[in-house]
Amino acid sequence: MVTRVPAITTDPAHGGRWTSLRSAGREWLWHRSAPERDKAVPGDAFVDAGGLEECIPTVRGLPDHGDAWSRPWTRTGDTEHVECESFALARSVRETPDGTRVDYTLTARPGFRFVWAAHALLDLSPHATLRMPAGATTRLFPEAAPLLARTWPAGAPWITGSWPAPHGVPLDRLGPGDGTAVGAVVDSARCCVHDDRDRLALELVADGQPVSTALWRNLAGYPQPHPYRSTGVEPMLGRVFDLADAGPDDAARVPASGEVRWRLTLTGACRCPATPAPKEHRPWT
């Protein structure tokens, strides 16, 4: 029997990176050769080896892709954890009837603000599409400027439109390669990737914190002069790539308890807003 419950493999010694995400016999994570990734230490520029990186307390900005990806994690039972300068992060991976569940706990001083993204780079065909609720507020970031019919507003860190085509840019199409690279953050905690007959659905829950889905749609437009194609579909706490750009409601904040908890659920069955959930799964609410 082919399971629809995704199986996750991680590499605690090298930043806790997810090295495999498999369901229905398919590997979802994209990879590229980057031997220097295993030698990274805090303060290094980000090394893009693919997989899924835990980006926290920021994605863009400093430290580059956060402070957790370049540090060794430790494993105790079914929990992996990492100690960083300003926070500690723990995660536990479990299979449930709803899919694979990843529970996170961040511990830091009350008031600490951060952005977290499950920086998943997916290996997709040119026909793949991304489904999110129509009309969801979507922030486009400056690399989208050449694709617009208007001039990018001077100094604006982003402009706002509606999913799936903010300002005429069709973000739900994840191929084929066209030499562009676009970053966006969508005000939705759930999404579903369609690639031929395969499905990967992701849902993020975090009480009292801003949740969204970041998209890095790199259709062979980055990096120059040697671009490659990769697609980041990234459940996110916060609504910006760079913590330095975050307004009052754009980043997660540690409450008086000193802890923030959140949960990421993944399933290999279609969980689109317009598609009824299979009987073996609970509906999204």
CSV table of all heavy atoms in Angstrom, one decimal, residues 21-77:
chain,number,residue,atom,x,y,z
A,21,LEU,N,11.7,14.3,2.2
A,21,LEU,CA,10.2,14.4,2.4
A,21,LEU,C,9.5,13.6,1.4
A,21,LEU,O,9.4,14.0,0.2
A,21,LEU,CB,9.8,15.9,2.4
A,21,LEU,CG,8.3,16.1,2.5
A,21,LEU,CD1,7.8,15.6,3.9
A,21,LEU,CD2,7.9,17.6,2.3
A,22,ARG,N,9.1,12.4,1.8
A,22,ARG,CA,8.6,11.4,0.8
A,22,ARG,C,7.1,11.1,1.1
A,22,ARG,O,6.8,10.9,2.3
A,22,ARG,CB,9.4,10.1,0.8
A,22,ARG,CG,10.8,10.3,0.4
A,22,ARG,CD,11.5,8.9,0.2
A,22,ARG,NE,10.9,8.2,-0.9
A,22,ARG,CZ,11.2,8.3,-2.2
A,22,ARG,NH1,12.2,9.1,-2.5
A,22,ARG,NH2,10.6,7.5,-3.1
A,23,SER,N,6.3,11.0,0.1
A,23,SER,CA,5.0,10.5,0.2
A,23,SER,C,4.5,9.9,-1.1
A,23,SER,O,5.0,10.4,-2.2
A,23,SER,CB,4.0,11.6,0.6
A,23,SER,OG,3.8,12.5,-0.4
A,24,ALA,N,3.7,8.8,-1.0
A,24,ALA,CA,3.3,8.1,-2.3
A,24,ALA,C,4.4,7.8,-3.2
A,24,ALA,O,4.3,7.8,-4.4
A,24,ALA,CB,2.2,9.0,-3.0
A,25,GLY,N,5.6,7.4,-2.6
A,25,GLY,CA,6.7,7.0,-3.4
A,25,GLY,C,7.5,8.1,-4.1
A,25,GLY,O,8.4,7.9,-4.9
A,26,ARG,N,7.2,9.3,-3.7
A,26,ARG,CA,7.8,10.5,-4.4
A,26,ARG,C,8.6,11.3,-3.4
A,26,ARG,O,8.2,11.5,-2.2
A,26,ARG,CB,6.7,11.4,-4.9
A,26,ARG,CG,7.3,12.7,-5.5
A,26,ARG,CD,6.3,13.7,-5.9
A,26,ARG,NE,6.9,15.0,-6.3
A,26,ARG,CZ,6.5,15.7,-7.3
A,26,ARG,NH1,5.6,15.2,-8.1
A,26,ARG,NH2,7.1,16.8,-7.7
A,27,GLU,N,9.8,11.7,-3.8
A,27,GLU,CA,10.6,12.6,-3.1
A,27,GLU,C,10.3,14.1,-3.5
A,27,GLU,O,10.3,14.4,-4.6
A,27,GLU,CB,12.1,12.4,-3.3
A,27,GLU,CG,13.1,13.4,-2.7
A,27,GLU,CD,12.9,13.5,-1.2
A,27,GLU,OE1,13.1,12.4,-0.5
A,27,GLU,OE2,12.5,14.6,-0.6
A,28,TRP,N,9.9,14.9,-2.5
A,28,TRP,CA,9.4,16.2,-2.8
A,28,TRP,C,10.5,17.3,-2.7
A,28,TRP,O,10.4,18.3,-3.3
A,28,TRP,CB,8.3,16.6,-1.8
A,28,TRP,CG,7.0,16.0,-2.1
A,28,TRP,CD1,6.4,14.9,-1.5
A,28,TRP,CD2,6.0,16.5,-3.0
A,28,TRP,NE1,5.2,14.7,-2.1
A,28,TRP,CE2,4.9,15.6,-3.0
A,28,TRP,CE3,6.0,17.6,-3.9
A,28,TRP,CZ2,3.8,15.8,-3.8
A,28,TRP,CZ3,4.9,17.8,-4.7
A,28,TRP,CH2,3.8,16.9,-4.6
A,29,LEU,N,11.6,17.0,-2.0
A,29,LEU,CA,12.6,18.0,-1.7
A,29,LEU,C,13.6,18.1,-2.9
A,29,LEU,O,14.1,17.0,-3.3
A,29,LEU,CB,13.3,17.8,-0.4
A,29,LEU,CG,12.4,18.0,0.8
A,29,LEU,CD1,13.2,17.8,2.1
A,29,LEU,CD2,11.7,19.4,0.9
A,30,TRP,N,13.9,19.3,-3.3
A,30,TRP,CA,14.9,19.5,-4.3
A,30,TRP,C,16.3,19.6,-3.6
A,30,TRP,O,16.4,20.1,-2.5
A,30,TRP,CB,14.6,20.8,-5.0
A,30,TRP,CG,15.6,21.4,-6.0
A,30,TRP,CD1,15.7,21.1,-7.3
A,30,TRP,CD2,16.6,22.4,-5.7
A,30,TRP,NE1,16.8,21.8,-7.9
A,30,TRP,CE2,17.3,22.6,-6.9
A,30,TRP,CE3,17.0,23.1,-4.5
A,30,TRP,CZ2,18.4,23.5,-7.0
A,30,TRP,CZ3,18.0,24.0,-4.6
A,30,TRP,CH2,18.7,24.2,-5.8
A,31,HIS,N,17.3,19.2,-4.3
A,31,HIS,CA,18.7,19.3,-3.8
A,31,HIS,C,19.7,19.7,-4.9
A,31,HIS,O,19.4,19.5,-6.1
A,31,HIS,CB,19.2,17.9,-3.3
A,31,HIS,CG,18.3,17.4,-2.2
A,31,HIS,ND1,17.2,16.6,-2.4
A,31,HIS,CD2,18.5,17.4,-0.8
A,31,HIS,CE1,16.7,16.3,-1.2
A,31,HIS,NE2,17.4,16.8,-0.3
A,32,ARG,N,20.8,20.3,-4.5
A,32,ARG,CA,21.9,20.6,-5.4
A,32,ARG,C,23.2,20.3,-4.7
A,32,ARG,O,23.2,20.3,-3.4
A,32,ARG,CB,21.8,22.0,-5.9
A,32,ARG,CG,22.0,23.0,-4.8
A,32,ARG,CD,21.8,24.5,-5.2
A,32,ARG,NE,22.9,24.9,-6.1
A,32,ARG,CZ,23.9,25.6,-5.8
A,32,ARG,NH1,24.1,26.0,-4.5
A,32,ARG,NH2,24.8,26.0,-6.6
A,33,SER,N,24.2,20.1,-5.5
A,33,SER,CA,25.5,19.8,-4.9
A,33,SER,C,26.1,21.0,-4.3
A,33,SER,O,26.3,22.0,-4.9
A,33,SER,CB,26.5,19.2,-6.0
A,33,SER,OG,27.7,19.0,-5.4
A,34,ALA,N,26.4,20.9,-3.0
A,34,ALA,CA,27.0,22.1,-2.2
A,34,ALA,C,27.8,21.5,-1.1
A,34,ALA,O,27.4,21.6,0.1
A,34,ALA,CB,25.9,23.0,-1.8
A,35,PRO,N,29.0,21.0,-1.4
A,35,PRO,CA,29.8,20.3,-0.3
A,35,PRO,C,30.1,21.3,0.9
A,35,PRO,O,30.3,20.8,2.0
A,35,PRO,CB,31.1,19.9,-1.0
A,35,PRO,CG,30.7,19.8,-2.5
A,35,PRO,CD,29.7,20.8,-2.7
A,36,GLU,N,30.2,22.6,0.6
A,36,GLU,CA,30.5,23.5,1.7
A,36,GLU,C,29.4,23.6,2.7
A,36,GLU,O,29.6,24.2,3.8
A,36,GLU,CB,30.8,24.9,1.1
A,36,GLU,CG,29.7,25.6,0.4
A,36,GLU,CD,29.5,25.2,-1.1
A,36,GLU,OE1,29.9,24.1,-1.5
A,36,GLU,OE2,29.0,26.0,-1.9
A,37,ARG,N,28.2,23.1,2.4
A,37,ARG,CA,27.1,23.2,3.3
A,37,ARG,C,27.4,22.5,4.6
A,37,ARG,O,27.1,23.0,5.7
A,37,ARG,CB,25.8,22.6,2.7
A,37,ARG,CG,24.7,22.4,3.7
A,37,ARG,CD,24.1,23.7,4.1
A,37,ARG,NE,23.0,23.6,5.0
A,37,ARG,CZ,23.1,23.4,6.3
A,37,ARG,NH1,24.3,23.2,6.8
A,37,ARG,NH2,22.0,23.3,7.1
A,38,ASP,N,28.1,21.4,4.6
A,38,ASP,CA,28.4,20.6,5.8
A,38,ASP,C,29.5,21.2,6.6
A,38,ASP,O,29.7,20.8,7.8
A,38,ASP,CB,28.8,19.2,5.4
A,38,ASP,CG,27.7,18.4,4.9
A,38,ASP,OD1,26.5,18.8,5.0
A,38,ASP,OD2,27.9,17.3,4.3
A,39,LYS,N,30.2,22.3,6.1
A,39,LYS,CA,31.3,22.9,6.8
A,39,LYS,C,30.8,24.3,7.4
A,39,LYS,O,31.6,25.0,8.0
A,39,LYS,CB,32.5,23.1,5.9
A,39,LYS,CG,33.0,21.8,5.4
A,39,LYS,CD,34.2,22.0,4.4
A,39,LYS,CE,34.7,20.7,3.8
A,39,LYS,NZ,35.8,21.0,2.8
A,40,ALA,N,29.6,24.6,7.2
A,40,ALA,CA,29.1,26.0,7.6
A,40,ALA,C,29.1,26.2,9.1
A,40,ALA,O,28.9,25.2,9.9
A,40,ALA,CB,27.7,26.2,7.1
A,41,VAL,N,29.5,27.4,9.5
A,41,VAL,CA,29.5,27.7,10.9
A,41,VAL,C,28.7,29.1,11.1
A,41,VAL,O,28.5,29.8,10.1
A,41,VAL,CB,30.9,27.9,11.5
A,41,VAL,CG1,31.7,26.6,11.4
A,41,VAL,CG2,31.7,29.0,10.7
A,42,PRO,N,28.3,29.4,12.3
A,42,PRO,CA,27.5,30.7,12.5
A,42,PRO,C,28.3,31.9,11.9
A,42,PRO,O,29.5,32.0,12.2
A,42,PRO,CB,27.4,30.7,14.0
A,42,PRO,CG,27.3,29.3,14.4
A,42,PRO,CD,28.3,28.6,13.5
A,43,GLY,N,27.6,32.7,11.2
A,43,GLY,CA,28.2,33.9,10.6
A,43,GLY,C,28.5,33.7,9.1
A,43,GLY,O,28.7,34.7,8.4
A,44,ASP,N,28.5,32.4,8.6
A,44,ASP,CA,28.7,32.2,7.2
A,44,ASP,C,27.5,32.7,6.4
A,44,ASP,O,26.4,32.7,6.8
A,44,ASP,CB,28.9,30.7,7.0
A,44,ASP,CG,30.3,30.2,7.4
A,44,ASP,OD1,31.1,31.1,7.8
A,44,ASP,OD2,30.6,29.0,7.3
A,45,ALA,N,27.8,33.0,5.1
A,45,ALA,CA,26.7,33.3,4.2
A,45,ALA,C,26.0,32.0,3.9
A,45,ALA,O,26.6,30.9,4.0
A,45,ALA,CB,27.3,33.8,2.9
A,46,PHE,N,24.7,32.1,3.6
A,46,PHE,CA,23.9,30.9,3.5
A,46,PHE,C,24.4,30.0,2.3
A,46,PHE,O,24.7,30.6,1.2
A,46,PHE,CB,22.4,31.3,3.2
A,46,PHE,CG,21.5,30.1,3.0
A,46,PHE,CD1,21.3,29.2,4.1
A,46,PHE,CD2,20.8,30.0,1.8
A,46,PHE,CE1,20.4,28.2,3.9
A,46,PHE,CE2,19.9,28.9,1.7
A,46,PHE,CZ,19.7,28.0,2.7
A,47,VAL,N,24.4,28.7,2.5
A,47,VAL,CA,24.7,27.8,1.4
A,47,VAL,C,23.5,27.0,1.0
A,47,VAL,O,22.9,26.3,1.8
A,47,VAL,CB,25.8,26.8,1.9
A,47,VAL,CG1,26.2,25.8,0.8
A,47,VAL,CG2,27.0,27.5,2.4
A,48,ASP,N,23.1,27.2,-0.2
A,48,ASP,CA,21.8,26.6,-0.7
A,48,ASP,C,22.1,25.2,-1.2
A,48,ASP,O,22.5,25.0,-2.3
A,48,ASP,CB,21.2,27.5,-1.8
A,48,ASP,CG,19.9,27.1,-2.2
A,48,ASP,OD1,19.3,26.1,-1.6
A,48,ASP,OD2,19.3,27.7,-3.2
A,49,ALA,N,21.8,24.2,-0.4
A,49,ALA,CA,21.9,22.8,-0.7
A,49,ALA,C,20.6,22.2,-1.0
A,49,ALA,O,20.5,21.0,-1.3
A,49,ALA,CB,22.7,22.1,0.3
A,50,GLY,N,19.5,23.0,-0.9
A,50,GLY,CA,18.2,22.4,-1.1
A,50,GLY,C,17.7,21.8,0.2
A,50,GLY,O,18.1,22.1,1.3
A,51,GLY,N,16.7,20.9,0.1
A,51,GLY,CA,16.1,20.3,1.3
A,51,GLY,C,15.1,21.4,1.9
A,51,GLY,O,14.6,22.2,1.3
A,52,LEU,N,15.0,21.2,3.2
A,52,LEU,CA,14.2,22.2,4.0
A,52,LEU,C,15.0,22.7,5.2
A,52,LEU,O,15.5,21.9,6.0
A,52,LEU,CB,12.9,21.6,4.5
A,52,LEU,CG,11.9,22.5,5.3
A,52,LEU,CD1,10.5,22.1,5.2
A,52,LEU,CD2,12.3,22.7,6.8
A,53,GLU,N,15.2,24.0,5.2
A,53,GLU,CA,16.0,24.6,6.3
A,53,GLU,C,15.1,25.3,7.3
A,53,GLU,O,14.1,25.9,6.9
A,53,GLU,CB,17.0,25.7,5.7
A,53,GLU,CG,18.0,25.2,4.7
A,53,GLU,CD,19.2,24.5,5.3
A,53,GLU,OE1,19.2,24.2,6.5
A,53,GLU,OE2,20.1,24.2,4.5
A,54,GLU,N,15.4,25.3,8.5
A,54,GLU,CA,14.7,26.0,9.6
A,54,GLU,C,15.3,27.4,9.7
A,54,GLU,O,16.4,27.6,10.2
A,54,GLU,CB,14.9,25.3,10.9
A,54,GLU,CG,14.4,23.8,10.9
A,54,GLU,CD,12.9,23.7,11.0
A,54,GLU,OE1,12.2,24.7,11.0
A,54,GLU,OE2,12.5,22.5,11.0
A,55,CYS,N,14.6,28.4,9.1
A,55,CYS,CA,15.1,29.8,9.0
A,55,CYS,C,14.5,30.6,10.2
A,55,CYS,O,13.3,30.8,10.2
A,55,CYS,CB,14.8,30.4,7.7
A,55,CYS,SG,15.7,29.7,6.3
A,56,ILE,N,15.3,31.0,11.1
A,56,ILE,CA,14.9,31.7,12.3
A,56,ILE,C,16.1,32.4,12.9
A,56,ILE,O,17.2,31.8,12.9
A,56,ILE,CB,14.2,30.7,13.3
A,56,ILE,CG1,13.6,31.4,14.5
A,56,ILE,CG2,15.1,29.6,13.7
A,56,ILE,CD1,12.7,30.5,15.4
A,57,PRO,N,16.0,33.6,13.3
A,57,PRO,CA,14.9,34.5,13.5
A,57,PRO,C,14.6,35.4,12.3
A,57,PRO,O,13.8,36.4,12.5
A,57,PRO,CB,15.3,35.4,14.7
A,57,PRO,CG,16.8,35.5,14.5
A,57,PRO,CD,17.2,34.2,13.9
A,58,THR,N,15.2,35.2,11.2
A,58,THR,CA,14.8,35.9,10.0
A,58,THR,C,15.1,35.0,8.8
A,58,THR,O,15.7,33.9,9.0
A,58,THR,CB,15.7,37.2,9.9
A,58,THR,OG1,15.2,38.0,8.8
A,58,THR,CG2,17.2,36.9,9.7
A,59,VAL,N,14.7,35.4,7.6
A,59,VAL,CA,15.1,34.7,6.4
A,59,VAL,C,16.1,35.5,5.6
A,59,VAL,O,17.3,35.1,5.5
A,59,VAL,CB,13.9,34.4,5.5
A,59,VAL,CG1,14.2,33.5,4.3
A,59,VAL,CG2,12.8,33.6,6.3
A,60,ARG,N,15.7,36.6,5.1
A,60,ARG,CA,16.7,37.6,4.5
A,60,ARG,C,17.3,38.4,5.6
A,60,ARG,O,16.8,38.4,6.8
A,60,ARG,CB,16.0,38.4,3.5
A,60,ARG,CG,15.4,37.6,2.3
A,60,ARG,CD,14.7,38.5,1.3
A,60,ARG,NE,14.2,37.7,0.2
A,60,ARG,CZ,13.5,38.2,-0.8
A,60,ARG,NH1,13.3,39.5,-0.9
A,60,ARG,NH2,13.0,37.4,-1.7
A,61,GLY,N,18.2,39.2,5.3
A,61,GLY,CA,18.9,40.1,6.3
A,61,GLY,C,19.9,39.3,7.1
A,61,GLY,O,20.6,38.4,6.5
A,62,LEU,N,20.2,39.7,8.3
A,62,LEU,CA,21.2,39.1,9.1
A,62,LEU,C,20.7,38.5,10.4
A,62,LEU,O,19.8,39.2,11.0
A,62,LEU,CB,22.3,40.2,9.5
A,62,LEU,CG,23.0,40.8,8.3
A,62,LEU,CD1,23.9,41.9,8.7
A,62,LEU,CD2,23.9,39.7,7.6
A,63,PRO,N,21.1,37.3,10.8
A,63,PRO,CA,22.1,36.5,10.0
A,63,PRO,C,21.4,35.9,8.8
A,63,PRO,O,20.2,35.6,8.8
A,63,PRO,CB,22.5,35.4,11.0
A,63,PRO,CG,21.4,35.4,12.1
A,63,PRO,CD,20.8,36.8,12.1
A,64,ASP,N,22.1,35.7,7.8
A,64,ASP,CA,21.6,35.2,6.5
A,64,ASP,C,20.9,33.9,6.6
A,64,ASP,O,21.5,32.9,7.0
A,64,ASP,CB,22.8,35.0,5.5
A,64,ASP,CG,22.4,34.8,4.1
A,64,ASP,OD1,21.2,34.8,3.8
A,64,ASP,OD2,23.3,34.5,3.3
A,65,HIS,N,19.6,33.9,6.3
A,65,HIS,CA,18.7,32.7,6.5
A,65,HIS,C,18.6,32.2,7.9
A,65,HIS,O,18.3,31.1,8.2
A,65,HIS,CB,19.1,31.6,5.6
A,65,HIS,CG,18.7,31.8,4.1
A,65,HIS,ND1,19.2,32.8,3.3
A,65,HIS,CD2,17.7,31.2,3.4
A,65,HIS,CE1,18.6,32.7,2.1
A,65,HIS,NE2,17.7,31.8,2.2
A,66,GLY,N,18.9,33.1,8.9
A,66,GLY,CA,18.7,32.8,10.3
A,66,GLY,C,20.0,32.3,11.0
A,66,GLY,O,21.0,32.2,10.4
A,67,ASP,N,19.8,31.9,12.2
A,67,ASP,CA,20.9,31.5,13.1
A,67,ASP,C,20.9,30.0,13.4
A,67,ASP,O,21.8,29.6,14.1
A,67,ASP,CB,20.8,32.3,14.4
A,67,ASP,CG,22.1,32.3,15.2
A,67,ASP,OD1,23.1,32.2,14.6
A,67,ASP,OD2,22.0,32.4,16.4
A,68,ALA,N,19.9,29.3,12.9
A,68,ALA,CA,19.8,27.8,13.3
A,68,ALA,C,20.4,26.9,12.3
A,68,ALA,O,20.9,25.8,12.6
A,68,ALA,CB,18.3,27.5,13.6
A,69,TRP,N,20.4,27.3,11.0
A,69,TRP,CA,20.8,26.4,9.9
A,69,TRP,C,22.3,26.0,9.9
A,69,TRP,O,22.7,25.0,9.4
A,69,TRP,CB,20.4,27.0,8.5
A,69,TRP,CG,21.3,28.1,8.1
A,69,TRP,CD1,21.1,29.5,8.4
A,69,TRP,CD2,22.6,28.1,7.4
A,69,TRP,NE1,22.1,30.2,7.9
A,69,TRP,CE2,23.0,29.4,7.3
A,69,TRP,CE3,23.3,27.0,6.9
A,69,TRP,CZ2,24.2,29.7,6.7
A,69,TRP,CZ3,24.5,27.4,6.2
A,69,TRP,CH2,25.0,28.7,6.1
A,70,SER,N,23.1,26.9,10.5
A,70,SER,CA,24.5,26.7,10.5
A,70,SER,C,25.1,26.1,11.9
A,70,SER,O,26.3,26.0,12.0
A,70,SER,CB,25.2,28.0,10.3
A,70,SER,OG,24.9,29.0,11.3
A,71,ARG,N,24.2,25.7,12.7
A,71,ARG,CA,24.6,25.2,14.0
A,71,ARG,C,24.2,23.7,14.2
A,71,ARG,O,23.1,23.3,13.6
A,71,ARG,CB,23.9,25.9,15.2
A,71,ARG,CG,24.3,27.4,15.3
A,71,ARG,CD,23.5,28.1,16.4
A,71,ARG,NE,23.8,29.5,16.4
A,71,ARG,CZ,24.8,30.0,17.2
A,71,ARG,NH1,25.5,29.2,17.9
A,71,ARG,NH2,25.0,31.3,17.2
A,72,PRO,N,25.0,22.9,14.9
A,72,PRO,CA,24.6,21.5,15.1
A,72,PRO,C,23.4,21.4,16.0
A,72,PRO,O,23.3,22.2,17.0
A,72,PRO,CB,25.8,20.9,15.7
A,72,PRO,CG,26.6,22.0,16.3
A,72,PRO,CD,26.3,23.2,15.4
A,73,TRP,N,22.5,20.5,15.7
A,73,TRP,CA,21.4,20.2,16.6
A,73,TRP,C,21.7,18.9,17.4
A,73,TRP,O,22.5,18.1,17.0
A,73,TRP,CB,20.1,20.0,15.8
A,73,TRP,CG,19.6,21.3,15.1
A,73,TRP,CD1,20.3,22.2,14.3
A,73,TRP,CD2,18.2,21.7,15.0
A,73,TRP,NE1,19.5,23.1,13.8
A,73,TRP,CE2,18.2,22.9,14.2
A,73,TRP,CE3,17.0,21.2,15.6
A,73,TRP,CZ2,17.0,23.5,14.0
A,73,TRP,CZ3,15.8,21.9,15.3
A,73,TRP,CH2,15.8,23.1,14.5
A,74,THR,N,20.9,18.7,18.4
A,74,THR,CA,21.1,17.4,19.2
A,74,THR,C,19.7,16.7,19.2
A,74,THR,O,18.6,17.4,19.1
A,74,THR,CB,21.6,17.7,20.6
A,74,THR,OG1,20.7,18.6,21.3
A,74,THR,CG2,23.0,18.2,20.6
A,75,ARG,N,19.7,15.4,19.4
A,75,ARG,CA,18.5,14.7,19.4
A,75,ARG,C,18.3,13.9,20.7
A,75,ARG,O,19.3,13.3,21.2
A,75,ARG,CB,18.5,13.7,18.3
A,75,ARG,CG,17.2,12.8,18.2
A,75,ARG,CD,17.2,11.8,17.0
A,75,ARG,NE,17.1,12.6,15.8
A,75,ARG,CZ,17.5,12.1,14.6
A,75,ARG,NH1,18.2,11.0,14.5
A,75,ARG,NH2,17.3,12.8,13.5
A,76,THR,N,17.2,14.1,21.4
A,76,THR,CA,16.8,13.3,22.6
A,76,THR,C,15.5,12.7,22.4
A,76,THR,O,14.5,13.4,22.3
A,76,THR,CB,16.8,14.3,23.8
A,76,THR,OG1,18.0,15.0,23.9
A,76,THR,CG2,16.5,13.5,25.1
A,77,GLY,N,15.5,11.4,22.3
A,77,GLY,CA,14.2,10.7,21.9
A,77,GLY,C,13.7,11.1,20.6
A,77,GLY,O,14.5,11.0,19.6
